[in-house]
């Protein structure tokens, strides 16, 4: 964290004669927090600057879906059979996932740091309002893993019918993007009901999560405390913080769930509250997307699965003749 001497020195170098006099006076009249926010925003060596470039962060947690990397969806034989027979698969809304902290974990960490830094009740309330006002309330997740033979995932998601369905990343992206765009060729054509889809690597590492969250929270708090004297600069900083915390909420999960080894596709559906779910079952909203059986690369059967390779192959072959069906190499 930079001290007063460093802040003053950096601002002197930043606010040259080329900067309008009114801007220089405004920043000179900022309190310590506002000045520190300006410095950390511009200083390429600050922890905030190194962890807050939204474009870099999107690339860090995202992935190039043009590569058809093998992904594995752990499920049951019955579920796969239903998908193949109907020609559709369901993607559940994020609010109804098993993890109660889904899309909230980064926010929880951030609020804990706000308290650590002595944020007031009013400041914490404003931070929560920022999260609540973000436009990602109608989000859907389809979960995969890059681990092709996980005893834990077979057990958690398959039981005695467990399988790992192998699909290519590009193929999954094509299915989702085609369905969610409703024939639109570019994002600027998207209207209510359309959804933007992207792949994300989930981050479970607590130390790495801290390296992103801690400087962001300090910067948000500094900018909020300098808002009255320099609303333009501080709003720009607060907006950047908001964009990053939204991304972190999508990509960060409780480290205790690291056994999931999750790689996910997130679909953000444009919805102002007037658009009904594509599908709703027992009050749970879903995206109901067309499934292309030709995209199946293989099916791996759990060692505890009640079905034989012959039985599974008979189910798959109706829709993907010659599909690779094999037993897990796990001992149990």
């Amino acid at each position: 964290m930079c001290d007063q001497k460093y802040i003053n020195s950096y601002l002197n170098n930043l606010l040259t004669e080329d900067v309008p006099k009114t801007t220089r006076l405004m920043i000179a009249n900022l309190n310590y927090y506002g000045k520190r926010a300006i410095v950390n925003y511009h200083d390429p060596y600050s922890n905030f600057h190194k962890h807050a470039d939204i474009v870099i962060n999107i690339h860090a947690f995202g992935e190039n879906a043009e590569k058809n990397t093998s992904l594995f969806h752990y499920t049951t034989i019955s579920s796969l059979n239903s998908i193949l027979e109907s020609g559709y698969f369901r993607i559940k809304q994020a609010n109804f996932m098993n993890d109660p902290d889904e899309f909230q974990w980064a926010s929880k960490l951030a609020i804990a740091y706000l308290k650590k830094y002595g944020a007031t009740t009013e400041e914490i309330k404003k931070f929560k309002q920022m999260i609540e006002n973000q436009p990602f309330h109608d989000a859907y997740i389809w979960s995969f893993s890059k681990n092709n033979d996980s005893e834990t995932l077979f057990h958690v998601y398959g039981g005695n019918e467990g399988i790992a369905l192998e699909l290519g990343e590009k193929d999954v992206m094509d299915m989702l993007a085609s369905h969610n765009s409703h024939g639109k060729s570019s994002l600027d054509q998207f209207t209510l009901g359309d959804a933007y889809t992207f792949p994300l690597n989930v981050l479970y590492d607590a130390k790495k999560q801290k390296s992103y969250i801690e400087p962001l929270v300090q910067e948000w708090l500094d900018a909020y405390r300098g808002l009255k004297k320099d609303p333009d600069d501080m709003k720009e900083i607060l907006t950047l913080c908001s964009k990053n915390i939204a991304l972190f909420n999508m990509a960060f999960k409780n480290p205790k769930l690291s056994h999931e080894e999750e790689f996910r596709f997130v679909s953000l559906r444009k919805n102002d509250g007037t658009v009904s779910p594509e599908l709703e079952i027992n009050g749970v909203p879903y995206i109901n997307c067309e499934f292309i059986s030709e995209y199946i690369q293989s099916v791996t059967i759990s060692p505890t699965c009640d079905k034989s390779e012959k039985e599974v192959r008979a189910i798959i072959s109706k829709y993907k003749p010659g599909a690779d069906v094999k037993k897990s190499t796990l001992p149990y």
Side-chain angles (χ1 to χ4, degrees):
M1 190 176 293
C2 49
D3 58 21
Q4 186 69 62
K5 183 178 179 181
Y6 183 83
I7 291 172
N8 292 337
S9 173
Y10 195 93
L11 288 177
N12 285 336
N13 291 327
L14 183 67
L15 302 174
T16 64
E17 293 295 325
D18 296 331
V19 178
K21 185 177 180 180
T22 53
T23 302
R24 282 184 276 136
L25 286 173
M26 180 170 59
I27 292 176
N29 288 324
L30 279 171
N31 57 24
Y32 168 74
Y33 301 108
K35 289 179 179 178
R36 184 168 65 180
I38 292 287
V39 171
N40 283 327
Y41 180 71
H42 289 280
D43 183 359
Y45 300 104
S46 74
N47 280 333
F48 174 72
H49 196 284
K50 288 188 287 187
H51 293 92
D53 188 313
I54 190 66
V55 175
I56 291 176
N57 288 343
I58 288 171
H59 286 292
F61 300 113
E63 191 162 285
N64 182 4
E66 289 305 308
K67 296 180 180 178
N68 213 24
T69 306
S70 289
L71 301 174
F72 301 87
H73 179 62
Y74 286 79
T75 185
T76 64
I77 290 290
S78 297
S79 294
L80 177 59
N81 191 45
S82 295
I83 291 169
L84 293 172
E85 286 186 346
S86 68
Y88 287 84
F89 62 88
R90 302 167 184 165
I91 309 170
K92 191 183 290 186
Q93 193 185 67
N95 295 337
F96 294 87
M97 304 298 282
N98 293 337
D99 179 8
D101 291 326
E102 195 66 75
F103 275 34
Q104 299 178 47
W105 183 251
S107 296
K108 286 194 170 187
L109 293 179
I111 291 167
Y113 279 116
L114 281 172
K115 293 176 180 177
K116 175 184 173 182
Y117 292 143
T120 65
T121 302
E122 188 267 344
E123 288 167 339
I124 293 173
K125 180 181 178 181
K126 288 297 182 182
F127 187 88
K128 290 180 177 179
Q129 286 176 351
M130 174 190 75
I131 301 299
E132 291 168 2
N133 290 332
Q134 289 172 338
F136 307 118
H137 303 294
D138 199 15
Y140 299 78
I141 299 171
W142 198 17
S143 299
F144 290 82
S145 174
K146 291 183 179 179
N147 186 340
N148 67 335
D149 218 5
S150 168
E151 178 194 356
T152 301
L153 296 178
F154 275 132
H155 174 73
V156 172
Y157 297 106
N160 62 355
E161 283 194 45
I163 59 164
L165 174 66
E166 181 184 3
L167 299 169
E169 183 178 344
K170 184 178 184 300
D171 292 336
V172 174
M173 186 67 183
D174 285 348
M175 283 191 287
L176 287 169
S178 175
H179 175 85
N180 288 332
S181 67
H182 302 112
K184 312 256 173 68
S185 58
S186 63
L187 294 178
D188 57 6
Q189 296 175 340
F190 277 28
T191 57
L192 292 175
D194 300 328
Y196 173 57
T197 304
F198 51 92
L200 277 180
N201 289 288
V202 174
L203 179 66
Y204 297 98
D205 188 294
K207 288 184 177 178
K208 289 183 179 179
Q209 290 178 358
K210 178 182 177 181
S211 71
Y212 283 95
I213 296 291
E214 192 170 21
L216 180 144
V217 168
Q218 182 68 77
E219 183 72 357
W220 184 92
L221 190 56
D222 285 351
Y224 183 75
R225 289 173 173 176
L227 187 59
K228 290 182 180 179
K229 289 291 182 83
D230 183 4
D232 291 340
D233 289 321
M234 297 305 138
K235 283 180 181 177
E236 184 176 331
I237 294 171
L238 292 171
T239 298
L240 179 60
C241 290
S242 178
K243 289 178 179 178
N244 274 291
I245 200 71
L247 174 63
F248 299 159
N249 268 329
M250 295 177 203
F252 292 6
K253 292 195 72 172
N254 189 335
K256 291 184 178 180
L257 300 177
S258 60
H259 60 272
E260 294 178 347
E261 302 179 77
E262 185 183 356
F263 180 91
R264 58 176 41 172
F265 289 85
V266 177
S267 294
L268 300 179
R269 194 163 176 250
K270 295 190 71 170
N271 194 346
D272 60 0
T274 64
V275 183
S276 300
E278 288 188 4
L279 177 69
E280 190 169 6
I281 302 174
N282 297 324
V284 179
Y286 293 88
I287 284 177
N288 199 33
C289 185
E290 300 83 356
F291 183 78
I292 301 174
S293 58
E294 284 300 310
Y295 286 162
I296 295 174
Q297 296 184 5
S298 75
V299 175
T300 302
I301 306 170
S302 163
T304 60
C305 182
D306 292 342
K307 303 289 185 183
S308 68
E309 287 184 54
K310 183 178 180 180
E311 290 174 295
V312 175
R313 191 171 284 108
I315 292 170
I316 306 299
S317 62
K318 300 176 190 176
Y319 306 93
K320 177 65 185 290
D324 182 17
V325 177
K326 54 195 174 185
K327 268 282 193 182
S328 165
T329 58
L330 290 167
Y332 58 88

